[in-house]
Amino acid sequence: MKIRTSTLRELKNKGIRFAALTSYDMHTASIFDAAGIEVLLVGDSASDNVLANQGTAPITLDEMIPFGKAVARSAQNSLVVFDLPFGSYEVSSEQALITSIRAMKETGAAAVKLEGAKIDQISRIVDNGIPVMGHVGFTPQTLHGLAGYKVQGRDQENADRLMSECLAIQKAGAFAIVLEMIPAALAKEISIALEIPTIGIGAGSDCDGQILVWQDFAGLGERSPKFAKKYLSLRESLQAAAVEYRSEVQNGSFPAIDQQF
């Protein structure tokens, strides 16, 4: 079944949770799509998980476009969402719209995502027919402004602010909101208050959906955040396979007869 933005709303209304993963290439996109993952996010997390940058801020739109193309071309059913990188939408609603149009035209993605309560930007993009996913709580692009990797909304004042931001983002026309690194109780309150689905990452189990960076999910990185569960130990498996391959090359057992012409 082809997943659309309206599908996520239908799932929320039925009380059915859905899954999302990041993806930046054809292989993970096709595998996760075949597994039934409802949402694939071409995340700016490619910055530190693919391009070896420190954090998400350095990646550019030009660098992200090829990732978006690969994922959108490879996913048959999953909803592909393109993450607008830092610096490509903050200046004005016009800048946000121009960036979103380019992202949609060049990648074939079905929606865009942006961080923060950028209400004017969200409204402008939505008004021009492009679906928008919001993102509040810990917003990696503004890591330095948040003074590091800190859970957001612990005190009542900031909890109230996050709730207000989510309601404003919903009113602006977003079809879903990512809640990152906020207390589980607050995420539950927001999820109940909103008509649109919430997608948690470090926000407890009561969100309508969950998302993980695929390298964290698969155990490919050297370390993973507290909120991530490793469903594989892919880094260990790949390293062991590489060691075995090198050994067979050295001792002459690869290529064997059945690998030769």
Side-chain angles (χ1 to χ4, degrees):
M1 180 182 72
K2 182 67 176 177
I3 305 297
R4 303 192 182 278
T5 57
S6 59
T7 309
L8 303 187
R9 183 79 162 259
E10 292 168 4
L11 292 174
K12 178 184 176 78
N13 291 339
K14 293 177 181 178
I16 301 173
R17 293 187 173 93
F18 58 88
L21 286 168
T22 64
S23 179
Y24 323 102
D25 65 276
M26 61 180 287
H27 294 298
T28 57
S30 61
I31 291 168
F32 299 157
D33 181 79
I37 300 299
E38 285 85 358
V39 180
L40 297 181
L41 173 65
V42 184
D44 61 357
S45 47
S47 179
D48 46 349
N49 284 280
V50 178
L51 300 182
N53 292 319
Q54 292 294 316
T56 64
I59 198 168
T60 67
L61 182 61
D62 286 340
E63 289 173 322
M64 283 194 61
I65 291 289
F67 299 137
K69 288 181 178 179
V71 175
R73 289 169 178 172
S74 305
Q76 300 300 309
N77 296 306
S78 301
L79 178 72
V80 176
V81 181
F82 185 88
D83 215 353
L84 302 186
F86 181 67
S88 70
Y89 62 92
E90 294 90 344
V91 174
S92 66
S93 62
E94 181 178 6
Q95 182 200 32
L97 177 59
I98 291 170
T99 300
S100 298
I101 290 173
R102 182 184 172 198
M104 297 288 283
K105 284 178 67 68
E106 294 190 23
T107 70
V112 300
K113 182 179 81 67
L114 56 81
E115 292 185 4
K118 304 293 192 295
I119 305 307
D120 290 343
Q121 284 89 332
I122 293 171
S123 296
R124 183 80 177 274
I125 298 169
V126 171
D127 286 347
N128 282 275
I130 299 174
V132 176
M133 177 181 288
H135 184 157
V136 303
F138 176 75
T139 45
Q141 293 177 4
T142 54
L143 165 68
H144 300 297
L146 296 173
Y149 293 93
K150 295 182 178 180
V151 175
Q152 304 296 305
R154 286 194 183 276
D155 60 273
Q156 193 60 51
E157 180 181 355
N158 282 301
D160 291 343
R161 174 182 57 79
L162 289 175
M163 176 67 82
S164 296
E165 288 180 354
C166 288
L167 290 170
I169 289 170
Q170 174 178 264
K171 186 176 181 180
F175 70 89
I177 301 179
V178 172
L179 305 179
E180 182 164 357
M181 287 177 61
I182 69 173
L186 174 59
K188 182 177 182 179
E189 290 180 16
I190 292 173
S191 299
I192 291 171
L194 294 181
E195 296 178 2
I196 61 174
T198 59
I199 304 172
I201 177 166
S205 60
D206 288 305
C207 295
D208 302 300
Q210 297 289 333
I211 187 168
L212 286 174
V213 171
W214 88 259
Q215 288 91 340
D216 294 335
F217 144 89
L220 184 60
E222 293 186 40
R223 61 183 67 86
S224 298
K226 176 183 177 180
F227 54 74
K229 176 180 178 179
K230 290 201 300 184
Y231 288 82
L232 286 173
S233 296
L234 190 56
R235 185 181 185 87
E236 295 175 11
S237 297
L238 279 174
Q239 184 171 328
V243 169
E244 181 180 4
Y245 165 65
R246 177 173 180 268
S247 176
E248 290 190 359
V249 169
Q250 287 184 325
N251 64 32
S253 61
F254 176 82
I257 295 299
D258 59 352
Q259 282 116 29
Q260 299 181 41
F261 298 102

